[in-house]
Amino acid sequence: MDTVQKHQLSNLDDHGEQEPREECGVFGVWAPGEEVAKLSYFGLFALQHRGQEAAGIAVGDDDRLVVFKDMGLVSQIFDESILDSLHGNVAVGHTRYSTAGGKEWSNVQPMFGTSPSGVDIALCHNGNLVNYLELRDEAMECGVISPAEPHVSDTMVMSTLLSDGVTDEVSVFDSALDLLPRIKGAFCLTFTDGHTLYAARDSHGVRPLVLGRLPQGWVVASETCALDIVGAYFVREVEPGELIAIDESGIRSARFAETTHHGCVFEYVYLARPDSDIRGRSVNATRVDIGRRLARHFPADGADLVIPVPESGNPAAVGYARESGITFAQGLVKNAYVGRTFIQPTQTLRQLGIRLKLNPLREVIAGKKLVVVDDSIVRGNTQRALIRMLREAGAAEVHVRIASPPVKWPCFYGIDFASPGELIANVNPSDDPDVVCETIREAIGADSLGFVSIEEMVAATEQPRAELCTACFDGHYPLGLPAGNPNAEAARKLLETQDKPLPNPA
């Protein structure tokens, strides 16, 4: 490895690991006579993995719309007395990780606004917009957002524009039909005026959004697992480019854009819960299949055990063990109270590193040749520390298998990755995947390393390649790049050096 690469890897060591972080989970329920606040609570609890910074619920009963939200986990924000005080027939809820806008309380969702005609609206959003600056400028020109406001999220911009469009002559539904075609990027929305439940999904269908049926109502949610937990049965996905409204008259649906599927492949790999289905394909089955494909293409002859990095590495490790015939074992214990969002230790505690989350079972791994299966590698710090920890616990060999290709590009559609220069897959600029893999293997200290290919990963989803977004792996951004974003500009320059087609900025 040359001096420049060694220096770059040294710089990576100076940062805490930044795992892929989802932006949000959304939920909505219309069910007169039911405890919609509690249904929303349990729905958000099922979606907690999609964001752990903040959560909120808005409940409406025709006469008024009440929003309760705060920073923290769903279980920390709501208790029995709070939920009992939220009465109504319709509710929307949100659990959040911030990517656009800051971590201030003002950006916690649902967003609340009042139209010029006095209609209250609460809105929840999952995704990221690529024409955020254009919409923000529009909102400022309309006078609904002050130019002096320092932290304005894309959700706040959408919420204010939606509310501002509602008048005595223009309904919430019609205001949404006017606004949604102008929104570019990835978005799944649930919103309510206290009487009707609305939901919408961007024309590319980047993030999942599903519709479910209750005995006395309807539910929309980011994932099917949330339908299961509230006792709703799956009806269908909200179609890309579709706006729906649900009230006592039933379901109304309108198209605001043509469907061009570009679902996020990383939902299958990491983001979604394994007990969810996306486009008719089980997330768990996809991950198990990826593990099988890894075993076929990257065998580990002579290995004693296959162990997952819990929890997201579990299904792929099961698939690897089944295909290879190597014994599956739980060699790492996860602290369930840390969660998927990494809590950065202070500098004094930095040496604890990954032990905040994982601890090896020495009696299981001592003296064994291990195949360690994980979902992805971003900066590499977690894997480097994990391998060191396993060797200290007595592992004879550590062979790493990754259930996704090398992450080389940032996501601008709702996942918070590191910048291009901080991704370990970019340390060696070679176009040869074997050279890149060997560079990463040496950096993390594994005895061998294998990544599933983009082709094998896509095949495991059982979706057409053309209908999936794989931008974080191959740099092809189907929705374009956002203007005014430093990471987007860095990605654009990198695309130029590699002679790849440049997406048009929004």
Side-chain angles (χ1 to χ4, degrees), residues 232-245:
Y233 68 82
F234 173 79
V235 175
R236 64 176 177 86
E237 292 197 355
V238 176
E239 289 296 319
E242 182 183 20
L243 167 67
I244 64 173

Side-chain angles (χ1 to χ4, degrees), residues 30 32 62 195-196 246-250:
W30 182 88
D62 292 336
H195 173 78
T196 302
I246 302 171
D247 56 24
E248 65 275 2
S249 301

Side-chain angles (χ1 to χ4, degrees), residues 51 53 76 95 101 108 112 119 136 148 153 161 188 206 221 270 281 307 319 350-351 366 380 405 417 441 488 491 493:
E53 283 187 359
Q76 295 170 330
T95 183
V108 178
F112 180 85
V119 177
R136 186 198 63 182
S153 68
L161 289 173
C188 286
V206 177
Y270 175 80
R281 176 61 165 161
I307 68 170
R350 182 62 62 86
Q351 65 270 22
F417 283 122
R441 184 207 64 78
K493 290 178 181 178

